[in-house]
Amino acid sequence: MKKQVIVALALSVSAFSFAQKKELKTAEKAIKSNNYAEAKAALNQVTPMLSTIDDKYKSKYYFLQAEALYANGAGSTEDVNKAIESLGMVDDSSLKGDVDAFTTNMQNSYLTKANDNFTGQNYTAASVEFEQLYNMVPRDTTYLYYAAVSAVQDKDYETALKHYEKLDGLGYTGITTEYFATEIATSEEQVMTKANRDLYVKAKSHIKPGERKSESKRAEITKNIALIYVSLGKNDEALAAVKKARLQDPENLDLILSEANLYLQLDDSDKFSELMEEAIKKQPDNPDLHYNIGVIALKNKEYEKARTAFEKTLQLKPDYATAALNESTTYIEEGNSFIEEMNSLGTSKADNARYDELQAMKSEFFNKGATVLENFIKNNPNPEPNIYQQLISIYNAIGASDKAKAVQVKLDAAQ
């Protein structure tokens, strides 16, 4: 009696094994015919028996499932993600060649899609596809970097942050070897593959071949993490991230400016100015840095400091229109600061004398504001309309109506 039970059990296992092989063959045949729905149906018959089948057939099942879900590129995002997971479950060396070929096919197809969507500004799709490329080939972290970049362009900051933090944790640098040569016809340096560079140099269409390491993206990644935290209102995390980035690359001007802008958003103008001064030491001839110092000083009513910054800006870049406007504004605001006292005075002789004194001081500041714009127009004969408009306002305020009319004529002609 005991022997009969053993025989029956053996027959039962054999029947299960036969059924599994049959369904796998059915799925394989359907995939070759591009009938992915039939392949999925056949594989679904095997799914409940996975715990009982041999590892060899289990690997075959996962490989066929990946092919069926991918559906030669027609699978949904969810199905493709499952296909990638299934490939990771294949544990049979005899299938390695098939898995590698299938993965390469997926990779090439998705790389084309991702690049096309990115250049076509369909950043939502590009972000998903670059992430899938990374999941297909985890060793190629560049795909994850471009997934993050695409997410930023799509303003999907939560996803971008997830990718950037993973890159940061992986220690991704993005450093590559760039091969270059100068094209004789255009005298322009071109970056290309090593094979192409060597071919062009041999053909004598290019000269001065060389190679160099690209810049690390570590600081950029940490900076972007900080900026995303700011956009999400997580200021403490943002400060921690940007400080970490500066420790990694203390001489990086962009990081100094990123930290400065972060403090500006946090309304800490003192720290902003301190960092801008640090930036100016690294790039003393950068007009934008001096201009930003001036803007904050003007906001804080530090008129002399603001004027010094705007004057330096105009020395470095004489056509910097907003610097001229703001320098002029420092005089206007300082002149307007007397208005409150003027309005508070009575009609006594002493009050009238004080009023005249304040009025003269106000006019003196307004005249200085006008002089800034007049000098700017001398150096820039075709200025922006707002230069003329502010000058007209000043002239009208000081009662120089003839000058205002003359400038109005110039403004009308320019528009």
Side-chain angles (χ1 to χ4, degrees):
M1 189 69 180
K2 185 176 180 182
K3 184 177 181 181
Q4 289 176 346
V5 171
I6 293 173
V7 170
L9 180 61
L11 289 172
S12 175
V13 170
S14 177
F16 273 123
S17 179
F18 177 78
Q20 293 157 2
K21 291 178 186 178
K22 179 183 176 182
E23 297 300 342
L24 292 177
K25 285 187 176 296
T26 299
E28 189 171 21
K29 184 177 179 180
I31 288 168
K32 288 179 180 178
S33 302
N34 296 323
N35 190 340
Y36 300 108
E38 182 181 338
K40 290 177 186 177
L43 291 169
N44 285 339
Q45 297 296 314
V46 180
T47 303
M49 308 179 236
L50 274 179
S51 61
T52 66
I53 64 178
D54 293 341
D55 288 343
K56 177 181 178 180
Y57 293 114
K58 192 178 292 185
S59 286
K60 184 72 172 179
Y61 163 85
Y62 283 121
F63 177 63
L64 293 173
Q65 186 181 58
E67 288 187 301
L69 289 167
Y70 179 64
N72 199 26
S76 66
T77 298
E78 184 180 356
D79 280 349
V80 172
N81 287 337
K82 289 180 180 177
I84 296 168
E85 289 179 14
S86 294
L87 282 178
M89 302 293 286
V90 177
D91 190 24
D92 183 350
S93 58
S94 67
L95 293 173
K96 185 178 185 306
D98 292 334
V99 170
D100 289 346
F102 178 65
T103 302
T104 299
N105 177 56
M106 288 175 65
Q107 184 179 1
N108 290 339
S109 174
Y110 264 75
L111 184 56
T112 299
K113 287 182 182 180
N115 283 331
D116 287 347
N117 280 318
F118 189 87
T119 55
Q121 298 184 5
N122 184 357
Y123 299 118
T124 303
S127 175
V128 172
E129 287 156 357
F130 277 123
E131 182 179 6
Q132 288 176 318
L133 277 163
Y134 169 70
N135 291 333
M136 291 175 202
V137 195
R139 65 180 178 276
D140 197 338
T141 44
T142 299
Y143 292 141
L144 186 60
Y145 171 76
Y146 282 110
V149 171
S150 301
V152 168
Q153 293 293 331
D154 193 37
K155 295 182 171 53
D156 182 1
Y157 298 125
E158 293 280 6
T159 297
L161 181 62
K162 178 186 72 172
H163 294 332
Y164 278 133
E165 288 188 323
K166 185 164 187 176
L167 287 165
D168 188 48
L170 291 170
Y172 174 79
T173 64
I175 296 174
T176 58
T177 301
E178 294 179 343
Y179 300 94
F180 59 89
T182 300
E183 186 179 34
I184 295 174
T186 63
S187 298
E188 292 182 356
E189 182 182 280
Q190 298 176 342
V191 177
M192 61 197 82
T193 65
K194 183 178 185 301
N196 284 344
R197 182 203 64 180
D198 294 345
L199 181 64
Y200 291 145
V201 171
K202 187 174 181 180
K204 297 185 178 179
S205 64
H206 289 65
I207 57 175
K208 299 179 181 177
E211 62 183 70
R212 61 183 168 236
K213 295 292 184 182
S214 64
E215 291 185 7
S216 172
K217 292 183 170 62
R218 289 283 288 166
E220 174 200 332
I221 288 169
T222 316
K223 178 186 75 173
N224 287 345
I225 289 172
L227 294 176
I228 291 171
Y229 274 132
V230 171
S231 71
L232 296 175
K234 298 180 178 180
N235 297 328
D236 290 341
E237 291 90 337
L239 282 171
V242 79
K243 288 182 184 300
K244 176 182 175 181
R246 290 203 60 197
L247 285 173
Q248 295 169 352
D249 191 358
E251 299 302 312
N252 189 308
L253 179 64
D254 286 338
L255 288 177
I256 296 173
L257 296 177
S258 294
E259 185 176 6
N261 287 327
L262 178 54
Y263 279 108
L264 182 61
Q265 293 183 56
L266 297 175
D267 291 325
D268 189 340
S269 57
D270 290 340
K271 189 64 178 176
F272 172 84
S273 296
E274 177 187 323
L275 288 162
M276 291 304 296
E277 294 288 358
E278 183 179 343
I280 285 173
K281 289 178 182 177
K282 296 185 182 301
Q283 279 194 8
D285 295 333
N286 185 326
D288 293 324
L289 300 182
H290 294 279
Y291 175 80
N292 286 327
I293 289 286
V295 168
I296 294 302
L298 175 57
K299 180 182 176 183
N300 293 335
K301 302 187 184 305
E302 299 174 292
Y303 298 120
E304 286 294 339
K305 181 178 180 180
R307 283 194 277 272
T308 299
F310 292 134
E311 286 168 3
K312 183 62 177 179
T313 303
L314 289 166
Q315 288 173 16
L316 295 169
K317 190 179 180 186
D319 63 345
Y320 209 132
T322 52
L325 280 169
N326 283 338
E327 184 182 354
S328 173
T329 298
T330 65
Y331 289 112
I332 294 171
E333 286 196 7
E334 196 160 1
N336 283 334
S337 68
F338 302 119
I339 291 177
E340 184 177 355
E341 184 181 353
M342 291 167 69
N343 290 336
S344 69
L345 294 171
T347 57
S348 68
K349 186 177 180 180
D351 284 344
N352 288 336
R354 178 59 178 165
Y355 184 92
D356 291 341
E357 180 184 358
L358 293 171
Q359 179 66 39
M361 292 168 64
K362 176 174 173 288
S363 295
E364 183 180 356
F365 277 109
F366 274 41
N367 279 317
K368 288 180 179 179
T371 300
V372 171
L373 299 180
E374 290 164 354
N375 290 335
F376 183 82
I377 293 171
K378 287 179 184 177
N379 294 324
N380 302 277
N382 297 302
E384 298 176 8
N386 50 7
I387 294 288
Y388 283 135
Q389 289 164 352
Q390 183 151 315
L391 185 55
I392 290 169
S393 296
I394 295 173
Y395 283 150
N396 284 328
I398 61 177
S401 57
D402 289 343
K403 288 184 176 181
K405 288 176 182 177
V407 175
Q408 184 68 54
V409 171
K410 294 181 180 179
L411 175 60
D412 293 341
Q415 291 179 332

Coordinates of all heavy atoms in Angstrom, one line a residue, residues 40-113:
K40 N 1.4 35.7 -22.4 CA 1.1 36.1 -21.0 C 0.1 35.1 -20.4 O 0.2 34.7 -19.2 CB 0.5 37.5 -20.9 CG 1.5 38.6 -21.1 CD 0.8 40.0 -21.1 CE 1.8 41.1 -21.5 NZ 1.1 42.4 -21.5
A41 N -0.9 34.7 -21.2 CA -1.9 33.7 -20.7 C -1.3 32.4 -20.4 O -1.6 31.8 -19.4 CB -3.0 33.6 -21.8
A42 N -0.3 32.0 -21.2 CA 0.3 30.7 -21.0 C 1.2 30.8 -19.7 O 1.2 29.8 -18.9 CB 1.2 30.3 -22.2
L43 N 1.9 31.9 -19.6 CA 2.7 32.0 -18.4 C 1.9 32.1 -17.1 O 2.4 31.7 -16.1 CB 3.6 33.3 -18.6 CG 4.7 33.2 -19.7 CD1 5.3 34.5 -19.9 CD2 5.8 32.2 -19.3
N44 N 0.7 32.7 -17.2 CA -0.1 32.8 -16.0 C -0.5 31.4 -15.5 O -0.9 31.2 -14.3 CB -1.4 33.6 -16.4 CG -1.1 35.1 -16.4 OD1 -0.1 35.6 -15.9 ND2 -2.0 35.8 -17.1
Q45 N -0.5 30.4 -16.5 CA -0.8 29.1 -16.1 C 0.3 28.5 -15.2 O 0.1 27.6 -14.4 CB -1.1 28.2 -17.3 CG -2.2 28.6 -18.2 CD -3.6 28.4 -17.4 OE1 -3.8 27.4 -16.8 NE2 -4.4 29.5 -17.5
V46 N 1.5 29.0 -15.5 CA 2.7 28.4 -14.7 C 2.8 29.1 -13.4 O 3.4 28.5 -12.4 CB 3.9 28.6 -15.6 CG1 5.2 28.1 -14.9 CG2 3.8 27.9 -16.9
T47 N 2.4 30.4 -13.3 CA 2.7 31.2 -12.1 C 2.3 30.5 -10.8 O 3.2 30.5 -9.8 CB 1.9 32.5 -12.2 OG1 2.3 33.2 -13.4 CG2 2.3 33.4 -11.0
P48 N 1.2 29.9 -10.7 CA 0.8 29.2 -9.4 C 1.8 28.1 -9.0 O 1.8 27.6 -7.9 CB -0.6 28.7 -9.6 CG -1.1 29.5 -10.7 CD 0.0 29.8 -11.6
M49 N 2.5 27.5 -10.0 CA 3.3 26.3 -9.8 C 4.8 26.7 -9.6 O 5.7 25.8 -9.5 CB 3.2 25.4 -10.9 CG 1.8 25.0 -11.3 SD 1.9 23.9 -12.8 CE 0.8 24.7 -13.9
L50 N 5.1 28.0 -9.5 CA 6.5 28.4 -9.5 C 7.3 27.8 -8.3 O 8.5 27.5 -8.5 CB 6.6 29.9 -9.4 CG 6.6 30.7 -10.7 CD1 6.6 32.2 -10.4 CD2 7.7 30.3 -11.7
S51 N 6.7 27.7 -7.2 CA 7.4 27.1 -6.0 C 7.8 25.7 -6.2 O 8.6 25.1 -5.5 CB 6.5 27.3 -4.8 OG 5.3 26.6 -4.9
T52 N 7.2 25.0 -7.2 CA 7.4 23.5 -7.3 C 8.3 23.2 -8.5 O 8.8 22.0 -8.6 CB 6.1 22.8 -7.5 OG1 5.5 23.2 -8.7 CG2 5.1 23.1 -6.4
I53 N 8.6 24.1 -9.4 CA 9.4 23.8 -10.6 C 10.9 23.9 -10.4 O 11.3 24.6 -9.5 CB 8.9 24.6 -11.8 CG1 9.2 26.1 -11.6 CG2 7.4 24.4 -12.1 CD1 8.8 26.9 -12.8
D54 N 11.6 23.3 -11.2 CA 13.1 23.3 -11.2 C 13.6 24.7 -11.4 O 12.9 25.5 -12.2 CB 13.7 22.4 -12.2 CG 13.4 20.9 -11.9 OD1 13.1 20.6 -10.7 OD2 13.5 20.1 -12.8
D55 N 14.7 25.1 -10.9 CA 15.3 26.4 -11.1 C 15.5 26.7 -12.5 O 15.4 27.9 -13.0 CB 16.6 26.5 -10.3 CG 16.4 26.6 -8.8 OD1 15.3 26.8 -8.4 OD2 17.4 26.3 -8.1
K56 N 15.9 25.7 -13.3 CA 16.2 25.9 -14.7 C 14.9 26.4 -15.4 O 15.0 27.4 -16.2 CB 16.6 24.6 -15.4 CG 16.8 24.7 -16.9 CD 17.3 23.3 -17.5 CE 17.4 23.4 -19.0 NZ 17.8 22.1 -19.5
Y57 N 13.8 25.8 -15.2 CA 12.5 26.2 -15.8 C 12.0 27.5 -15.2 O 11.3 28.3 -15.9 CB 11.5 25.1 -15.7 CG 11.9 23.9 -16.5 CD1 12.2 22.7 -15.9 CD2 12.0 23.9 -17.9 CE1 12.6 21.5 -16.6 CE2 12.4 22.8 -18.7 CZ 12.6 21.6 -18.0 OH 13.0 20.6 -18.8
K58 N 12.3 27.7 -13.9 CA 11.9 29.0 -13.3 C 12.6 30.1 -14.0 O 12.0 31.2 -14.2 CB 12.3 28.9 -11.8 CG 11.7 30.0 -11.0 CD 12.0 29.9 -9.5 CE 11.4 28.7 -8.9 NZ 11.6 28.7 -7.4
S59 N 13.9 30.0 -14.3 CA 14.6 31.0 -15.0 C 14.1 31.3 -16.4 O 13.9 32.4 -16.8 CB 16.1 30.7 -15.1 OG 16.8 30.8 -13.9
K60 N 13.7 30.1 -17.0 CA 13.1 30.3 -18.4 C 11.8 31.0 -18.3 O 11.5 31.9 -19.1 CB 12.9 28.8 -18.9 CG 12.3 28.8 -20.3 CD 13.4 29.2 -21.3 CE 12.9 29.0 -22.8 NZ 13.9 29.4 -23.8
Y61 N 11.0 30.7 -17.2 CA 9.7 31.4 -17.0 C 10.0 32.9 -16.9 O 9.3 33.7 -17.5 CB 9.1 30.9 -15.8 CG 8.0 31.7 -15.2 CD1 6.7 31.7 -15.7 CD2 8.2 32.7 -14.2 CE1 5.7 32.5 -15.2 CE2 7.2 33.5 -13.7 CZ 5.9 33.4 -14.2 OH 4.9 34.2 -13.7
Y62 N 10.9 33.3 -16.1 CA 11.1 34.8 -15.8 C 11.6 35.5 -17.1 O 11.3 36.6 -17.4 CB 12.1 35.0 -14.7 CG 11.5 34.8 -13.3 CD1 12.0 33.8 -12.5 CD2 10.4 35.5 -12.9 CE1 11.5 33.6 -11.2 CE2 9.9 35.3 -11.7 CZ 10.4 34.4 -10.8 OH 9.8 34.2 -9.6
F63 N 12.5 34.7 -17.9 CA 13.0 35.3 -19.1 C 11.8 35.5 -20.1 O 11.7 36.6 -20.7 CB 14.1 34.5 -19.7 CG 14.6 35.0 -21.1 CD1 15.2 36.2 -21.1 CD2 14.4 34.2 -22.2 CE1 15.6 36.7 -22.4 CE2 14.8 34.8 -23.4 CZ 15.4 36.0 -23.5
L64 N 11.0 34.5 -20.3 CA 9.8 34.6 -21.2 C 8.9 35.7 -20.7 O 8.3 36.4 -21.5 CB 9.1 33.3 -21.3 CG 9.9 32.2 -22.0 CD1 9.2 30.8 -21.9 CD2 10.2 32.5 -23.5
Q65 N 8.7 35.8 -19.4 CA 7.8 36.8 -18.8 C 8.3 38.2 -19.2 O 7.5 39.1 -19.5 CB 7.7 36.7 -17.3 CG 6.7 37.6 -16.7 CD 6.6 37.5 -15.2 OE1 7.6 37.6 -14.5 NE2 5.4 37.2 -14.7
A66 N 9.6 38.4 -19.1 CA 10.2 39.7 -19.4 C 10.0 40.0 -20.9 O 9.6 41.1 -21.2 CB 11.7 39.6 -19.2
E67 N 10.1 39.0 -21.8 CA 9.9 39.2 -23.2 C 8.4 39.6 -23.5 O 8.1 40.5 -24.3 CB 10.2 38.0 -24.0 CG 11.7 37.8 -24.1 CD 12.1 36.6 -25.1 OE1 11.6 35.5 -24.8 OE2 12.8 36.9 -26.1
A68 N 7.5 38.8 -22.8 CA 6.1 39.1 -23.0 C 5.6 40.4 -22.5 O 4.8 41.1 -23.1 CB 5.3 38.0 -22.3
L69 N 6.1 40.8 -21.3 CA 5.8 42.1 -20.8 C 6.3 43.3 -21.6 O 5.7 44.3 -21.8 CB 6.3 42.2 -19.3 CG 5.5 41.3 -18.3 CD1 6.3 41.3 -17.0 CD2 4.1 41.9 -18.1
Y70 N 7.6 43.1 -22.0 CA 8.2 44.2 -22.8 C 7.5 44.3 -24.2 O 7.3 45.4 -24.7 CB 9.7 43.8 -23.0 CG 10.4 44.9 -23.9 CD1 10.6 46.2 -23.4 CD2 11.0 44.5 -25.1 CE1 11.2 47.1 -24.2 CE2 11.6 45.4 -25.9 CZ 11.8 46.7 -25.4 OH 12.4 47.7 -26.2
A71 N 7.0 43.2 -24.7 CA 6.2 43.2 -26.0 C 6.9 44.0 -27.1 O 6.3 44.8 -27.8 CB 4.8 43.8 -25.7
N72 N 8.2 43.7 -27.2 CA 9.0 44.4 -28.3 C 8.9 45.9 -28.2 O 8.9 46.6 -29.3 CB 8.6 43.8 -29.6 CG 9.7 44.1 -30.7 OD1 10.9 44.2 -30.4 ND2 9.3 44.2 -31.9
G73 N 8.8 46.5 -27.0 CA 8.8 47.9 -26.9 C 7.4 48.5 -26.8 O 7.2 49.7 -26.5
A74 N 6.4 47.7 -26.9 CA 5.0 48.2 -26.9 C 4.4 48.1 -25.5 O 3.3 48.5 -25.3 CB 4.1 47.4 -27.9
G75 N 5.1 47.5 -24.5 CA 4.6 47.3 -23.2 C 4.4 48.6 -22.5 O 5.1 49.6 -22.8
S76 N 3.5 48.7 -21.5 CA 3.2 49.9 -20.7 C 4.4 50.1 -19.8 O 5.3 49.2 -19.6 CB 2.0 49.8 -19.9 OG 2.2 48.7 -18.9
T77 N 4.5 51.3 -19.2 CA 5.6 51.7 -18.3 C 5.6 50.6 -17.2 O 6.7 50.2 -16.8 CB 5.4 53.1 -17.7 OG1 5.5 54.0 -18.8 CG2 6.5 53.4 -16.7
E78 N 4.5 50.3 -16.6 CA 4.4 49.3 -15.5 C 4.9 48.0 -16.0 O 5.6 47.3 -15.3 CB 2.9 49.3 -15.0 CG 2.8 48.3 -13.8 CD 1.3 48.3 -13.3 OE1 0.5 49.0 -13.9 OE2 1.1 47.5 -12.4
D79 N 4.5 47.6 -17.2 CA 4.9 46.2 -17.7 C 6.4 46.2 -17.9 O 7.0 45.2 -17.7 CB 4.1 45.9 -19.0 CG 2.7 45.4 -18.7 OD1 2.4 45.1 -17.6 OD2 1.9 45.3 -19.7
V80 N 6.9 47.3 -18.5 CA 8.4 47.3 -18.7 C 9.1 47.2 -17.4 O 10.2 46.5 -17.3 CB 8.8 48.6 -19.5 CG1 10.3 48.7 -19.6 CG2 8.2 48.5 -20.9
N81 N 8.7 47.9 -16.4 CA 9.3 47.8 -15.1 C 9.3 46.4 -14.5 O 10.3 45.9 -13.9 CB 8.6 48.8 -14.1 CG 8.9 50.3 -14.4 OD1 10.0 50.6 -15.0 ND2 8.1 51.2 -13.9
K82 N 8.1 45.7 -14.7 CA 8.0 44.3 -14.3 C 9.0 43.4 -15.1 O 9.5 42.5 -14.6 CB 6.6 43.9 -14.4 CG 5.6 44.5 -13.4 CD 4.2 43.9 -13.6 CE 3.2 44.6 -12.6 NZ 1.8 44.1 -12.8
A83 N 9.1 43.8 -16.4 CA 10.0 43.0 -17.3 C 11.4 43.1 -16.8 O 12.2 42.1 -16.7 CB 9.9 43.5 -18.7
I84 N 11.8 44.3 -16.4 CA 13.2 44.5 -15.9 C 13.4 43.7 -14.6 O 14.4 43.1 -14.4 CB 13.4 46.0 -15.6 CG1 13.4 46.8 -17.0 CG2 14.8 46.2 -14.9 CD1 13.4 48.3 -16.8
E85 N 12.4 43.7 -13.7 CA 12.4 42.9 -12.5 C 12.6 41.4 -12.8 O 13.3 40.7 -12.1 CB 11.2 43.1 -11.6 CG 11.1 44.5 -11.0 CD 9.8 44.7 -10.2 OE1 9.2 43.7 -9.9 OE2 9.5 45.9 -9.9
S86 N 11.8 41.0 -13.8 CA 11.8 39.6 -14.2 C 13.2 39.1 -14.7 O 13.7 38.0 -14.4 CB 10.8 39.3 -15.2 OG 9.5 39.4 -14.7
L87 N 13.8 40.0 -15.4 CA 15.2 39.7 -15.9 C 16.2 39.5 -14.8 O 17.1 38.7 -14.8 CB 15.7 40.8 -16.8 CG 15.2 40.9 -18.3 CD1 15.7 42.1 -19.0 CD2 15.5 39.6 -19.0
G88 N 15.9 40.3 -13.7 CA 16.8 40.1 -12.6 C 16.6 38.8 -11.8 O 17.5 38.4 -11.0
M89 N 15.5 38.1 -12.1 CA 15.2 36.8 -11.5 C 15.8 35.6 -12.2 O 15.8 34.5 -11.8 CB 13.7 36.6 -11.3 CG 13.0 37.7 -10.5 SD 13.5 37.7 -8.8 CE 12.6 36.3 -8.2
V90 N 16.3 35.9 -13.4 CA 16.9 34.8 -14.2 C 18.2 34.4 -13.6 O 19.2 35.2 -13.5 CB 17.1 35.3 -15.7 CG1 17.7 34.1 -16.5 CG2 15.8 35.7 -16.3
D91 N 18.4 33.1 -13.3 CA 19.6 32.6 -12.6 C 20.0 31.3 -13.3 O 20.3 30.3 -12.6 CB 19.3 32.4 -11.1 CG 20.5 32.1 -10.3 OD1 21.6 32.5 -10.8 OD2 20.4 31.5 -9.3
D92 N 20.2 31.4 -14.6 CA 20.6 30.2 -15.3 C 21.6 30.7 -16.3 O 21.3 31.4 -17.3 CB 19.4 29.6 -16.0 CG 19.8 28.3 -16.8 OD1 21.0 28.0 -16.9 OD2 18.9 27.6 -17.2
S93 N 22.9 30.2 -16.2 CA 24.0 30.7 -17.0 C 23.7 30.3 -18.5 O 24.2 31.0 -19.4 CB 25.3 30.0 -16.6 OG 25.2 28.6 -16.6
S94 N 23.0 29.3 -18.8 CA 22.7 28.9 -20.2 C 21.9 30.0 -20.9 O 21.8 30.0 -22.1 CB 22.0 27.6 -20.2 OG 20.7 27.6 -19.7
L95 N 21.2 30.8 -20.1 CA 20.4 31.9 -20.7 C 21.1 33.2 -20.8 O 20.5 34.2 -21.3 CB 19.1 32.0 -19.9 CG 18.1 30.9 -20.0 CD1 16.9 31.1 -19.0 CD2 17.5 30.7 -21.4
K96 N 22.3 33.3 -20.3 CA 23.0 34.5 -20.2 C 23.1 35.3 -21.6 O 22.9 36.5 -21.7 CB 24.4 34.3 -19.7 CG 25.2 35.7 -19.5 CD 26.5 35.4 -18.9 CE 27.2 36.7 -18.5 NZ 27.3 37.7 -19.7
G97 N 23.4 34.5 -22.6 CA 23.5 35.1 -24.0 C 22.2 35.7 -24.4 O 22.1 36.8 -24.9
D98 N 21.1 35.0 -24.2 CA 19.8 35.5 -24.5 C 19.4 36.7 -23.7 O 18.8 37.7 -24.2 CB 18.7 34.4 -24.3 CG 18.8 33.2 -25.3 OD1 19.4 33.5 -26.4 OD2 18.4 32.1 -25.0
V99 N 19.7 36.7 -22.4 CA 19.4 37.8 -21.6 C 20.2 39.0 -22.0 O 19.6 40.1 -22.0 CB 19.7 37.4 -20.1 CG1 19.6 38.7 -19.2 CG2 18.7 36.4 -19.6
D100 N 21.4 38.9 -22.2 CA 22.3 40.0 -22.6 C 21.8 40.6 -23.9 O 21.7 41.8 -24.1 CB 23.7 39.5 -22.8 CG 24.4 39.2 -21.5 OD1 23.8 39.6 -20.4 OD2 25.5 38.6 -21.4
A101 N 21.5 39.8 -24.9 CA 21.0 40.3 -26.2 C 19.7 41.0 -26.0 O 19.4 42.1 -26.6 CB 20.8 39.1 -27.2
F102 N 18.8 40.4 -25.2 CA 17.5 41.1 -25.0 C 17.6 42.4 -24.3 O 17.0 43.4 -24.6 CB 16.6 40.1 -24.1 CG 15.2 40.7 -23.8 CD1 14.3 40.9 -24.8 CD2 14.9 40.9 -22.5 CE1 13.1 41.4 -24.5 CE2 13.6 41.5 -22.2 CZ 12.7 41.7 -23.2
T103 N 18.5 42.4 -23.2 CA 18.8 43.7 -22.5 C 19.3 44.8 -23.4 O 19.0 45.9 -23.3 CB 19.7 43.4 -21.3 OG1 19.1 42.4 -20.5 CG2 19.9 44.7 -20.5
T104 N 20.3 44.4 -24.3 CA 20.9 45.3 -25.2 C 19.8 45.9 -26.1 O 19.8 47.1 -26.4 CB 22.0 44.6 -26.0 OG1 23.0 44.2 -25.1 CG2 22.6 45.6 -27.0
N105 N 18.9 45.1 -26.6 CA 17.9 45.5 -27.5 C 17.0 46.5 -26.8 O 16.6 47.6 -27.3 CB 17.0 44.3 -28.0 CG 15.9 44.7 -28.8 OD1 16.0 45.4 -29.8 ND2 14.7 44.3 -28.5
M106 N 16.6 46.2 -25.5 CA 15.8 47.1 -24.7 C 16.5 48.4 -24.5 O 15.9 49.5 -24.7 CB 15.4 46.5 -23.4 CG 14.5 45.3 -23.4 SD 14.3 44.6 -21.7 CE 13.5 46.0 -20.8
Q107 N 17.8 48.3 -24.2 CA 18.6 49.5 -23.9 C 18.7 50.4 -25.1 O 18.4 51.6 -25.0 CB 20.0 49.1 -23.4 CG 20.9 50.2 -23.0 CD 22.2 49.7 -22.5 OE1 22.5 48.5 -22.6 NE2 23.1 50.6 -22.1
N108 N 19.0 49.9 -26.2 CA 19.1 50.7 -27.5 C 17.8 51.4 -27.8 O 17.7 52.5 -28.2 CB 19.6 49.8 -28.6 CG 21.0 49.4 -28.4 OD1 21.8 50.0 -27.7 ND2 21.4 48.3 -29.1
S109 N 16.7 50.6 -27.7 CA 15.4 51.1 -28.0 C 15.0 52.3 -27.1 O 14.5 53.3 -27.5 CB 14.3 50.0 -27.9 OG 13.0 50.5 -28.1
Y110 N 15.2 52.1 -25.8 CA 14.8 53.1 -24.8 C 15.7 54.3 -24.8 O 15.3 55.4 -24.5 CB 14.7 52.5 -23.4 CG 13.3 52.1 -23.1 CD1 12.7 51.0 -23.6 CD2 12.5 52.9 -22.2 CE1 11.4 50.6 -23.4 CE2 11.2 52.6 -22.0 CZ 10.7 51.4 -22.5 OH 9.4 51.1 -22.3
L111 N 17.0 54.1 -25.2 CA 17.9 55.2 -25.3 C 17.5 56.1 -26.4 O 17.5 57.3 -26.3 CB 19.3 54.7 -25.5 CG 20.4 55.8 -25.6 CD1 20.4 56.6 -24.3 CD2 21.8 55.1 -25.8
T112 N 17.1 55.5 -27.5 CA 16.6 56.3 -28.7 C 15.3 57.1 -28.2 O 15.2 58.3 -28.5 CB 16.2 55.4 -29.9 OG1 17.4 54.7 -30.3 CG2 15.7 56.2 -31.0
K113 N 14.4 56.4 -27.6 CA 13.2 57.1 -27.1 C 13.5 58.2 -26.1 O 12.9 59.3 -26.3 CB 12.2 56.0 -26.4 CG 11.5 55.0 -27.3 CD 10.7 54.2 -26.4 CE 9.9 53.1 -27.2 NZ 9.1 52.2 -26.3

